[in-house]
Amino acid sequence: MLNTENSLPVWIFFSNVDAITVNNSASQLLAWSGQSFGRLFGSTQNLLNVLLDSNHRMAKEHVIELIGLLGACVASNPYPHPAARELFTDCIMILSRNLAGLPEE
């Protein structure tokens, strides 16, 4: 995807372990949120598929979009299960670390 300046996208690369962890945690969040997440489910699932199918890389703007969608997923249920908060935290920590270019600990 090109930005308005017509430059190439900035790619964020994920390790195999990080990509699988984000996918598994996010998939559990999506299953937990169910119908309350509604039409955003498909968009989130598409981004997760890109993460797994494209050598574990995503365009920077898609990483930001995924963070926002997962936040909306958790916020879609006014009574989140405690496990949902852990799943969300796992996803956000991995996505944010990679977005910021921080080394793995």
Side-chain angles (χ1 to χ4, degrees):
M1 175 174 267
L2 299 178
N3 67 21
T4 57
E5 297 171 0
N6 202 23
S7 62
L8 295 174
V10 174
W11 294 106
I12 307 294
F13 292 88
F14 294 82
S15 70
N16 186 50
V17 171
D18 281 351
I20 290 171
T21 300
V22 168
N23 183 67
N24 290 343
S25 295
S27 294
Q28 289 178 56
L29 277 174
L30 291 174
W32 164 79
S33 67
Q35 293 296 322
S36 62
F37 194 45
R39 63 184 178 82
L40 299 177
F41 182 91
S43 299
T44 308
Q45 193 59 56
N46 288 340
L47 288 172
L48 292 173
N49 290 339
V50 166
L51 179 60
L52 289 181
D53 291 343
S54 62
N55 298 320
H56 308 308
R57 71 178 189 170
M58 292 182 81
K60 180 179 180 179
E61 34 307 325
H62 289 160
V63 174
I64 294 167
E65 182 181 1
L66 183 56
I67 289 171
L69 285 166
L70 293 173
C73 176
V74 171
S76 69
N77 189 324
Y79 306 105
H81 189 276
R85 293 180 196 275
E86 288 180 37
L87 294 169
F88 176 70
T89 300
D90 288 346
C91 289
I92 297 306
M93 286 178 62
I94 292 169
L95 292 169
S96 297
R97 183 184 72 231
N98 282 277
L99 183 63
L102 300 174
E104 290 189 46
E105 295 179 87

